Amino acid sequence: MKKKKGTYKYVILATIMALSISLTACKSGDAVAKVNDEVITKDELYQALVEQNGAQVLDNMITMKVIDQEAKKQKVTVTEEDINKDLDALKSSYGGEAEFNSALQYFGYDIEDLKKDISLNLKIKKLIEPSITITEDETLEYFEENKDSLGEEEQVRARHILVETEDEAKKVKGKLDAGEDFADLAKEYSLDDSKDSGGELGFFSKGNMVKEFEDAAFSLDTNEISEPVKSEFGYHIIQLEERKDAKEATLDEVKDQIKDAILNNKINEAYPAWYQEVLKENKVENYLNTNN
């Protein structure tokens, strides 16, 4: 039901989409496909993949190896707790567990690979952070420039029942008016994945739902149930459960959040030069020749 949000961006590196290919498994002459009497061998497949993506993937693998070795040298560790904390923040940025899992499925990405990327970025952060300084003036300047976005927007918590036709929506609304339970009817009639939790959508602010749904939800009083609302998804019946008023940010409340944002920006800026310096201290030999 919620609009798709933008893909999550890490502090330093974008998510690395690694090739699912084992170089050691490529035996000369092994066929992977056949067209009439002509075979396509593993060697040919390997060469095609190398020519298309090999240099970039190998560069990424070298980067990961260099950072891993530098972290060991500096005795920098990343715990499972560290990874899960970032993972929870990522889930929250997508609007919850269900939205996050849908995004993973949409991008064809595996949770374990995602954890490896998070671990890599946390290592980078821990390696560069000691060289970063954040002043009180920078913190105050960031607060003044971003005060509106740092505050809490008005939010509502609602549940809904989504059906395909107006007639079906009116039928369900009639059952609700007669006193039947909203959650039970959501489980029975709703087409949305939220039906498993009785239509529960959690808290959301303006801009996170399609306009017709959002306008109706924010106009309701607590515990009020809407008339059928048409959107591109079908017909919704909405129940408002709770409302949170907008709240202006104060510096004391968001200081840690601001410092983390500034830190991330500074690490992002410092990373290219830092990596080149680290790279000079390592002997890296790249034997890949995409012209073969």
Side-chain angles (χ1 to χ4, degrees):
M1 245 300 303
K2 294 184 180 180
K3 291 179 179 178
K4 287 186 181 295
K5 298 191 177 182
T7 54
Y8 179 76
K9 293 183 180 177
Y10 291 111
V11 174
I12 303 298
L13 302 175
T15 301
I16 299 168
M17 302 301 289
L19 291 173
S20 299
I21 179 170
S22 172
L23 304 185
T24 58
C26 291
K27 296 178 182 178
S28 179
D30 285 357
V32 293
K34 189 173 183 180
V35 181
N36 297 318
D37 294 330
E38 295 186 28
V39 299
I40 299 172
T41 68
K42 281 186 178 180
D43 284 345
E44 291 173 318
L45 173 61
Y46 163 72
Q47 188 61 39
L49 289 171
V50 166
E51 288 173 359
Q52 290 175 27
N53 301 290
Q56 181 182 351
V57 172
L58 183 56
D59 283 345
N60 287 334
M61 293 174 73
I62 290 170
T63 297
M64 288 188 282
K65 191 67 70 176
V66 168
I67 291 168
D68 279 342
Q69 291 183 8
E70 184 65 19
K72 289 175 183 176
K73 187 191 305 183
Q74 300 293 338
K75 294 183 169 53
V76 166
T77 58
V78 173
T79 66
E80 193 69 23
E81 184 179 353
D82 292 332
I83 294 170
N84 287 334
K85 183 178 178 181
D86 262 30
L87 191 59
D88 288 342
L90 177 54
K91 290 176 182 177
S92 178
S93 76
Y94 272 94
E97 184 100 27
E99 292 284 331
F100 169 75
N101 289 334
S102 294
L104 274 187
Q105 187 176 8
Y106 178 80
F107 289 109
Y109 206 59
D110 181 83
I111 187 70
E112 292 306 316
D113 288 332
L114 181 59
K115 284 184 175 182
K116 289 177 185 176
D117 288 347
I118 291 173
S119 176
L120 178 68
N121 282 278
L122 286 172
K123 287 174 186 175
I124 294 169
K125 186 174 183 178
K126 289 186 177 187
L127 284 164
I128 301 179
E129 185 174 359
S131 65
I132 301 294
T133 301
I134 300 171
T135 67
E136 289 300 316
D137 285 344
E138 286 176 308
T139 304
L140 180 59
E141 182 181 357
Y142 188 99
F143 174 73
E144 294 297 337
E145 290 178 355
N146 298 276
K147 187 184 293 185
D148 291 342
S149 63
L150 290 167
E152 293 181 12
E153 297 179 343
E154 180 187 10
Q155 292 183 309
V156 294
R157 182 166 67 90
R159 63 174 74 229
H160 81 143
I161 299 170
L162 174 66
V163 294
E164 190 171 353
T165 67
E166 185 177 11
D167 286 343
E168 193 171 11
K170 289 179 177 178
K171 175 184 174 183
V172 173
K173 182 61 166 62
K175 288 177 178 286
L176 289 166
D177 291 342
E180 293 195 36
D181 184 74
F182 196 102
D184 290 342
L185 290 173
K187 290 176 183 178
E188 182 178 354
Y189 288 99
S190 189
L191 302 174
D192 189 73
D193 290 342
S194 66
K195 70 178 185 179
D196 295 331
S197 57
E200 181 63 56
L201 296 171
F203 278 101
F204 54 90
S205 55
K206 290 181 179 178
N208 287 324
M209 299 290 187
V210 291
K211 187 177 187 312
E212 300 88 348
F213 184 98
E214 182 178 282
D215 289 346
F218 276 86
S219 69
L220 295 172
D221 294 325
T222 304
N223 295 322
E224 185 181 0
I225 298 174
S226 74
E227 295 297 323
V229 176
K230 185 180 180 181
S231 81
E232 62 189 88
F233 298 102
Y235 288 83
H236 310 261
I237 300 168
I238 309 162
Q239 182 180 42
L240 185 72
E241 298 181 288
E242 191 177 348
R243 185 185 296 272
K244 286 183 182 178
D245 293 331
K247 183 181 177 183
E248 190 173 297
T250 66
L251 182 58
D252 286 342
E253 288 176 335
V254 297
K255 184 176 284 188
D256 290 342
Q257 181 183 341
I258 290 173
K259 286 185 175 180
D260 196 48
I262 296 173
L263 174 64
N264 288 344
N265 288 338
K266 287 194 171 190
I267 290 175
N268 195 35
E269 292 171 358
Y271 171 75
W274 173 86
Y275 179 71
Q276 289 305 314
E277 285 301 313
V278 171
L279 200 56
K280 290 176 185 176
E281 300 170 6
N282 291 269
K283 183 181 179 182
V284 177
E285 299 174 79
N286 186 337
Y287 304 121
L288 183 63
N289 185 347
T290 57
N291 294 319
N292 285 345

